[in-house]
Amino acid sequence: MFHLFDKIANGQTYIIAEMSANHAGKLENALEIVRQAAAAGADCVKIQTYTADTITIDCDNEYFQVHGGLWDGYKLYDLYKDAGTPWEWQERIKQECEACGVDFLSTPFDFTAVDFLEGIGCEAYKIASFELVDIPLIEYAASKGKPMILSCGMGSVEEIQDALDACRRMENHQVVLLKCCSEYPANWEDMHLANIPDMARRFEVPVGLSDHSMGSLAAVVGVSLGACVVEKHVCLSRAIKNPDSEFSMEIPEFARMVRDIRDAEQIRGGVRYGPLPGEGNVIFRRSLFAVQDIKKGEPFTPENVRSIRPGQGLAPRFYSMVLERKAVKDIHRGEPITKDLAGL
């Protein structure tokens, strides 16, 4: 059972540990990431399902060269060949997730990947930001009737709506959107997390955060703004070099982020007004007290009644009414003014 919507319904943030290329070509690294991410508090471990041939073509012309950024100098085909997770590992990784009590999730990049993931019992699909515009792929994945998580990096309002509509055409309404900045690593000034509540209002679906920034601050801010999902790249060590290591969290950092998110959930809380159970000092609010001795039948005046702390007397909103009255009996200085004493 995939636990995404159960978590959201309970007001908890669903935390995804994205493995991506951080296995660095070794299955044991992949399995250890699952084990350590689960122990650190992840709800889900995510991988990606593609080969270099399913995501691009082996071509040397200028269109297929990467210039600038983390992957400067790579040819696309070679990048994806280095970064991919072998398909023959993926069922084993899923089994390790099950053994560790976390959900398994993958991002398919073409129809064959969806078919493969169906064959190993994948229970949900994540669409990457760069594939947000691949409407046929979204329709095909959504047609399987499983939860869909759509990352929206670079997406315009119209493109996000098109992707949502693609899911709905397949009668799939189990959709979560992720705010994302597709920089690696993402700069804070480019993240615009105010989009999170705006997306929730605009598209009327749950919204989370796919976070490529360093550290856990953006995740905490995202949760405080209503993000119901946080996805973060994780690695065993940034010293294990691979195409994603430079912007990934090491496991102790991920564990700290999980704790910070859980704290942020408590701080955010729900909508509630009035005194809370822990606010026992409500008694120190202001109220109306006699500040002079007042004889029975004597009028109340600004000189003998004031609004002061503590709060055992009438609320200050009754002050003008009290000044129109006379004392029902003798009142001593320091005695709270009550309705009975004021004849109200």
Side-chain angles (χ1 to χ4, degrees), residues 33 69 85 90 112 196 209 277 305 308:
I33 287 172
T85 302
Q90 298 196 11
T112 67
I196 290 170
L209 171 66
V305 175
I308 61 172

Side-chain angles (χ1 to χ4, degrees), residues 49 52 83 87 94 96 152 162 182 227 236 246 296 313 333 335 343:
T49 303
W87 292 20
K94 180 175 181 290
E96 194 68 23
C152 299
D162 285 348
S182 295
L236 298 175
E246 291 301 317
K296 178 180 178 180
R333 179 178 183 271
E335 190 173 348

Side-chain angles (χ1 to χ4, degrees), residues 115 200 230 258:
D115 292 340
V230 169
V258 171

Side-chain angles (χ1 to χ4, degrees), residues 42-107:
D43 296 302
C44 176
V45 174
K46 190 181 87 66
I47 63 171
Q48 299 180 2
T49 303
Y50 65 84
T51 68
D53 290 300
T54 66
I55 201 170
T56 190
I57 59 172
D58 189 0
C59 183
D60 295 333
N61 73 31
E62 184 63 20
Y63 297 117
F64 295 87
Q65 307 300 319
V66 180
H67 298 293
L70 194 61
W71 302 303
D72 183 50
Y74 258 112
K75 183 174 72 173
L76 284 181
Y77 189 88
D78 294 336
L79 172 63
Y80 299 132
K81 190 173 181 181
D82 288 351
T85 302
W87 292 20
E88 60 268 23
W89 296 0
Q90 298 196 11
E91 186 169 15
R92 177 69 186 89
I93 293 170
K94 180 175 181 290
Q95 291 168 351
E96 194 68 23
C97 288
E98 292 166 354
C100 293
V102 294
D103 291 340
F104 169 85
L105 178 64
S106 188
T107 299

Side-chain angles (χ1 to χ4, degrees), residues 91 94 112-122 125 146:
E91 186 169 15
K94 180 175 181 290
T112 67
V114 175
D115 292 340
F116 171 80
L117 290 167
E118 282 290 293
I120 66 171
C122 191
Y125 293 109
K146 297 173 179 177

Side-chain angles (χ1 to χ4, degrees), residues 11-15 223 260-270:
Q12 295 177 290
T13 308
Y14 186 79
I15 302 175
V223 169
D260 289 344
I261 286 173
R262 299 305 177 210
D263 289 343
E265 289 172 343
Q266 290 191 55
I267 294 167
R268 181 185 66 197

Side-chain angles (χ1 to χ4, degrees), residues 4 25 43 63 79 89 135 164 201 205 218 227 244 255 264 266 301 310:
L4 170 63
D43 296 302
Y63 297 117
L79 172 63
W89 296 0
I135 299 303
L164 267 176
R201 288 190 297 268
V205 296
D244 291 339
Q266 290 191 55
T301 69

